[in-house]
Amino acid sequence: PPLGYPHSPSTALLCCFEAGPAMKFVSVLGGAEPASFSEAVLNGWAPDGGMYWPAAVEPVSPRTLSAWESLSYPRLCEEVLKRFIAADDPDVTPLDLAGIVSAAFSSFGDAEVVSLRPLSDELHVAELWHGPTLAFKDLGMSVLGRTLSHLLRRRRQRLTLLVGTSGDTGSSAMEAVRGLEGIEILV
């Protein structure tokens, strides 16, 4: 199992990340110093070549899952992201996060962002194509682009993204960072 993951795979869907004041991310290869949320986002990969993973993973309580049931997709995204970001993170405050998420989904063609449509009384389908490129990747890319721009602006830095793809990842990445401060992209 991944680092810090105390649960069986059968409970994986009920787990999420519990951010505390010292939330850190570690390399899955184990050869890099722990990183903050901001460092992990800006680095992309850990210095040892591994992916970052939260140092500790805690289950989401049934009470929290129940509370999340009525949230819009943007608000749910915000609540899940709060679990990745330390409560005292100076780079991304709760107000910053709300602005990042709101801006990320402002160009989606449906106010719900992800709509559930009934096919029958027992079966619903999640529509994941309301983003700017009509690809499900817009859901994550839009938030990542806004988060990168926010962190770069705070640090007065610039970033060039190099994207290699044969599919819809390139167009989603381009749209996610189009016009954002501090980022240029090459696909």
Side-chain angles (χ1 to χ4, degrees):
L3 295 173
Y5 197 79
H7 310 286
S8 69
S10 63
T11 61
L13 292 177
L14 296 179
C15 293
C16 198
F17 307 97
E18 192 71 50
M23 175 56 134
K24 292 291 183 179
F25 293 81
V26 295
S27 169
V28 296
L29 299 180
E33 292 295 315
S36 68
F37 173 81
S38 299
E39 292 164 339
V41 169
L42 289 171
N43 290 344
W45 293 94
D48 66 355
M51 292 187 298
Y52 282 112
W53 183 260
V57 179
E58 298 295 328
V60 174
S61 72
R63 178 184 219 146
T64 299
L65 288 174
S66 181
W68 285 354
E69 188 175 8
S70 64
L71 296 179
S72 66
Y73 184 81
R75 296 297 62 86
L76 176 61
C77 182
E78 191 177 330
E79 290 302 314
V80 170
L81 281 169
K82 284 178 185 176
R83 293 176 170 263
F84 287 91
I85 304 167
D88 61 353
D89 189 317
D91 289 325
V92 184
T93 67
L95 187 58
D96 293 334
L97 182 60
I100 288 167
V101 171
S102 179
F105 297 124
S106 65
S107 65
F108 278 58
D110 186 320
E112 294 181 41
V113 179
V114 173
S115 298
L116 287 177
R117 301 287 185 230
L119 295 180
S120 69
D121 288 342
E122 294 87 28
L123 183 63
H124 290 71
V125 64
E127 295 180 349
L128 306 178
W129 60 80
H130 295 291
T133 71
L134 307 178
F136 75 91
K137 294 170 185 172
D138 293 334
L139 293 165
M141 289 281 194
S142 60
V143 175
L144 177 59
R146 297 288 176 160
T147 302
L148 282 169
S149 181
H150 170 82
L151 294 171
L152 292 166
R153 191 172 47 252
R154 286 189 58 84
R155 288 180 159 90
R156 294 185 176 98
Q157 294 177 332
R158 296 192 52 76
L159 175 70
T160 299
L161 295 174
L162 178 60
V163 179
T165 181
S166 61
D168 55 4
T169 301
S171 59
S172 183
M174 287 187 301
E175 284 300 317
V177 301
R178 183 183 304 276
L180 296 182
E181 186 179 333
I183 303 175
E184 60 183 335
I185 187 168
L186 302 168
V187 180

